[in-house]
Amino acid sequence: MTIKEILVCGNPRLREKSEKVAKISKSIEQLVSDMFDTLQKAKGIGLAAPQIGVLKRVIIIDLHTKDEDYTGVMINPEITKKYGEKTVMQEGCLSIPEVYCDVERPEFIDVSYMSLYGKKEKMIGVGKMLSRVIQHEVDHLNGVLFIDRLNKEERMKAAVILEKSKNIEKQKPESNL
Ligand code: NI
Protein backbone atom coordinates (compact mmCIF):
# COMPACT_ATOMS: atom_id res chain seq x y z
CA MET A 1 0.00 0.00 0.00
CA THR A 2 1.57 3.26 -1.11
CA ILE A 3 -0.11 6.50 -0.35
CA LYS A 4 1.33 9.41 -2.29
CA GLU A 5 1.20 13.05 -1.38
CA ILE A 6 -1.49 14.93 -3.29
CA LEU A 7 -0.16 18.17 -4.73
CA VAL A 8 -2.15 21.26 -3.91
CA CYS A 9 -3.09 24.30 -5.92
CA GLY A 10 -0.05 26.55 -6.33
CA ASN A 11 2.25 23.66 -7.25
CA PRO A 12 3.43 24.29 -10.83
CA ARG A 13 3.19 20.58 -11.74
CA LEU A 14 -0.59 20.88 -11.61
CA ARG A 15 -0.37 23.40 -14.44
CA GLU A 16 1.61 21.25 -16.85
CA LYS A 17 0.29 19.15 -19.71
CA SER A 18 0.69 15.41 -19.14
CA GLU A 19 2.21 13.04 -21.69
CA LYS A 20 0.47 10.19 -23.44
CA VAL A 21 1.25 6.68 -22.22
CA ALA A 22 2.85 4.72 -25.08
CA LYS A 23 2.49 1.27 -23.54
CA ILE A 24 1.45 -0.35 -20.31
CA SER A 25 4.62 -1.01 -18.37
CA LYS A 26 5.23 -2.18 -14.82
CA SER A 27 5.69 1.44 -13.79
CA ILE A 28 2.23 2.35 -15.13
CA GLU A 29 0.70 -0.57 -13.23
CA GLN A 30 2.47 0.63 -10.09
CA LEU A 31 1.29 4.19 -10.72
CA VAL A 32 -2.34 3.05 -11.00
CA SER A 33 -2.04 0.98 -7.83
CA ASP A 34 -0.55 3.94 -5.92
CA MET A 35 -3.29 6.20 -7.27
CA PHE A 36 -6.04 3.87 -5.99
CA ASP A 37 -4.39 3.68 -2.54
CA THR A 38 -4.10 7.46 -2.46
CA LEU A 39 -7.66 8.06 -3.65
CA GLN A 40 -9.07 5.64 -1.12
CA LYS A 41 -7.17 7.27 1.73
CA ALA A 42 -8.31 10.73 0.63
CA LYS A 43 -11.91 9.48 0.21
CA GLY A 44 -12.15 11.05 -3.22
CA ILE A 45 -14.06 9.95 -6.32
CA GLY A 46 -11.45 10.72 -8.95
CA LEU A 47 -7.73 11.30 -9.29
CA ALA A 48 -5.41 12.21 -12.14
CA ALA A 49 -1.73 11.17 -12.20
CA PRO A 50 -0.40 14.77 -12.19
CA GLN A 51 -2.08 15.25 -8.80
CA ILE A 52 0.57 12.94 -7.37
CA GLY A 53 3.24 14.61 -9.48
CA VAL A 54 3.37 12.13 -12.37
CA LEU A 55 2.81 13.85 -15.71
CA LYS A 56 1.20 10.91 -17.51
CA ARG A 57 -2.28 10.78 -19.04
CA VAL A 58 -3.81 8.41 -16.48
CA ILE A 59 -7.02 8.95 -14.50
CA ILE A 60 -8.85 6.74 -12.05
CA ILE A 61 -12.43 6.94 -10.88
CA ASP A 62 -14.25 5.41 -7.94
CA LEU A 63 -17.82 6.64 -8.16
CA HIS A 64 -20.74 5.28 -6.20
CA THR A 65 -24.05 7.12 -6.19
CA LYS A 66 -27.65 5.96 -6.13
CA ASP A 67 -27.79 5.84 -9.94
CA GLU A 68 -24.20 5.36 -11.00
CA ASP A 69 -21.56 2.89 -10.02
CA TYR A 70 -18.18 2.90 -11.72
CA THR A 71 -14.67 2.06 -10.64
CA GLY A 72 -12.00 2.11 -13.30
CA VAL A 73 -8.82 3.33 -14.93
CA MET A 74 -8.64 5.34 -18.12
CA ILE A 75 -5.32 5.70 -19.89
CA ASN A 76 -4.99 8.42 -22.55
CA PRO A 77 -8.67 9.34 -22.14
CA GLU A 78 -10.13 11.42 -24.92
CA ILE A 79 -13.50 13.08 -24.84
CA THR A 80 -14.77 12.48 -28.36
CA LYS A 81 -18.17 14.13 -28.03
CA LYS A 82 -19.94 16.46 -25.62
CA TYR A 83 -23.71 16.81 -25.66
CA GLY A 84 -26.84 17.54 -23.66
CA GLU A 85 -27.45 20.82 -21.95
CA LYS A 86 -24.79 22.75 -20.13
CA THR A 87 -25.42 21.99 -16.49
CA VAL A 88 -24.18 23.46 -13.27
CA MET A 89 -22.95 21.16 -10.53
CA GLN A 90 -20.92 21.74 -7.42
CA GLU A 91 -17.36 20.45 -7.72
CA GLY A 92 -14.47 20.05 -5.35
CA CYS A 93 -10.94 18.78 -5.92
CA LEU A 94 -8.42 16.98 -3.71
CA SER A 95 -5.83 19.50 -4.93
CA ILE A 96 -7.95 22.46 -3.83
CA PRO A 97 -9.01 21.55 -0.28
CA GLU A 98 -12.19 23.03 1.12
CA VAL A 99 -13.21 24.87 -2.04
CA TYR A 100 -16.53 23.79 -3.53
CA CYS A 101 -17.99 25.81 -6.38
CA ASP A 102 -20.63 25.62 -9.08
CA VAL A 103 -19.08 24.69 -12.42
CA GLU A 104 -20.86 24.66 -15.77
CA ARG A 105 -20.08 21.79 -18.13
CA PRO A 106 -21.83 19.80 -20.88
CA GLU A 107 -24.14 17.18 -19.39
CA PHE A 108 -22.98 14.07 -21.25
CA ILE A 109 -19.88 12.87 -23.05
CA ASP A 110 -18.49 10.00 -25.09
CA VAL A 111 -14.99 8.97 -24.13
CA SER A 112 -12.36 6.69 -25.63
CA TYR A 113 -9.36 5.43 -23.70
CA MET A 114 -6.97 2.53 -23.24
CA SER A 115 -7.56 -0.03 -20.51
CA LEU A 116 -4.88 -1.24 -18.13
CA TYR A 117 -4.61 -4.28 -20.41
CA GLY A 118 -3.69 -2.08 -23.35
CA LYS A 119 -7.08 -2.50 -25.05
CA LYS A 120 -8.86 0.39 -26.79
CA GLU A 121 -12.19 1.08 -25.13
CA LYS A 122 -15.06 3.44 -25.78
CA MET A 123 -17.97 4.57 -23.62
CA ILE A 124 -20.94 6.16 -25.34
CA GLY A 125 -23.43 8.31 -23.45
CA VAL A 126 -21.61 8.21 -20.15
CA GLY A 127 -23.83 8.82 -17.07
CA LYS A 128 -24.32 12.36 -15.84
CA MET A 129 -22.13 12.19 -12.74
CA LEU A 130 -19.46 10.08 -14.43
CA SER A 131 -19.42 12.53 -17.37
CA ARG A 132 -18.73 15.27 -14.87
CA VAL A 133 -15.92 13.41 -13.12
CA ILE A 134 -14.21 12.42 -16.39
CA GLN A 135 -14.30 16.02 -17.65
CA HIS A 136 -12.80 17.23 -14.37
CA GLU A 137 -10.02 14.61 -14.44
CA VAL A 138 -9.19 15.13 -18.13
CA ASP A 139 -8.83 18.83 -17.35
CA HIS A 140 -6.09 17.89 -14.86
CA LEU A 141 -4.18 16.16 -17.67
CA ASN A 142 -4.17 19.47 -19.53
CA GLY A 143 -3.09 21.54 -16.53
CA VAL A 144 -6.59 22.94 -16.02
CA LEU A 145 -8.25 23.19 -12.60
CA PHE A 146 -11.97 23.58 -11.97
CA ILE A 147 -11.40 27.06 -10.54
CA ASP A 148 -10.40 28.13 -14.08
CA ARG A 149 -13.94 27.37 -15.22
CA LEU A 150 -15.83 29.50 -12.70
CA ASN A 151 -17.95 32.53 -13.41
CA LYS A 152 -16.88 35.79 -11.81
CA GLU A 153 -19.00 35.42 -8.69
CA GLU A 154 -17.87 31.86 -7.97
CA ARG A 155 -14.25 32.79 -8.66
CA MET A 156 -14.40 35.50 -6.01
CA LYS A 157 -15.86 33.02 -3.53
CA ALA A 158 -13.05 30.53 -4.26
CA ALA A 159 -10.38 33.23 -3.98
CA VAL A 160 -11.57 34.21 -0.51
CA ILE A 161 -11.52 30.61 0.75
CA LEU A 162 -8.06 30.01 -0.78
CA GLU A 163 -6.73 33.19 0.80
CA LYS A 164 -8.12 32.21 4.22
CA SER A 165 -6.56 28.75 4.02
CA LYS A 166 -3.17 30.31 3.20
CA ASN A 167 -3.39 32.42 6.36
CA ILE A 168 -4.24 29.39 8.46
CA GLU A 169 -1.14 27.65 7.04
CA LYS A 170 1.00 30.61 8.07
CA GLN A 171 -0.37 30.65 11.60
CA LYS A 172 0.32 26.97 12.25
CA PRO A 173 2.98 26.52 14.92
CA GLU A 174 6.12 24.88 13.60
CA SER A 175 5.56 21.70 15.56
CA ASN A 176 2.47 21.00 13.48
CA LEU A 177 4.19 21.19 10.10
NI1 NI B 1 -9.45 17.49 -9.15
Side-chain angles (χ1 to χ4, degrees), residues 36-82:
F36 271 110
D37 290 344
T38 306
L39 183 65
Q40 198 178 24
K41 174 81 194 316
K43 297 190 170 74
I45 57 177
L47 190 71
Q51 289 182 278
I52 58 165
V54 180
L55 298 176
K56 298 275 182 200
R57 299 188 82 80
V58 177
I59 65 172
I60 64 161
I61 292 155
D62 189 26
L63 174 69
H64 308 282
T65 66
K66 191 165 66 70
D67 306 312
E68 292 175 63
D69 204 51
Y70 177 87
T71 300
V73 185
M74 292 181 178
I75 294 159
N76 303 333
E78 238 175 275
I79 295 167
T80 52
K81 198 173 165 189
K82 299 180 179 185

Side-chain angles (χ1 to χ4, degrees), residues 159-172:
V160 170
I161 301 166
L162 281 171
E163 207 47 50
K164 272 188 193 159
S165 68
K166 268 188 222 156
N167 284 334
I168 292 164
E169 278 305 313
K170 274 183 213 150
Q171 284 161 13
K172 266 187 193 167

Side-chain angles (χ1 to χ4, degrees), residues 109-170:
I109 58 162
D110 293 345
V111 63
S112 61
Y113 59 96
M114 186 162 72
S115 75
L116 197 52
Y117 306 101
K119 208 175 145 222
K120 276 221 161 206
E121 305 276 357
K122 194 166 183 155
M123 281 170 81
I124 307 282
V126 177
K128 193 173 173 177
M129 189 66 193
L130 185 55
S131 288
R132 172 69 54 162
V133 180
I134 293 170
Q135 290 179 78
H136 176 117
E137 301 310 331
V138 169
D139 269 354
H140 275 298
L141 303 181
N142 295 321
V144 175
L145 300 174
F146 83 84
I147 48 173
D148 304 337
R149 297 199 179 274
L150 303 179
N151 63 29
K152 208 173 166 187
E153 196 184 317
E154 288 289 290
R155 190 170 307 150
M156 291 302 289
K157 200 174 96 185
V160 170
I161 301 166
L162 281 171
E163 207 47 50
K164 272 188 193 159
S165 68
K166 268 188 222 156
N167 284 334
I168 292 164
E169 278 305 313
K170 274 183 213 150

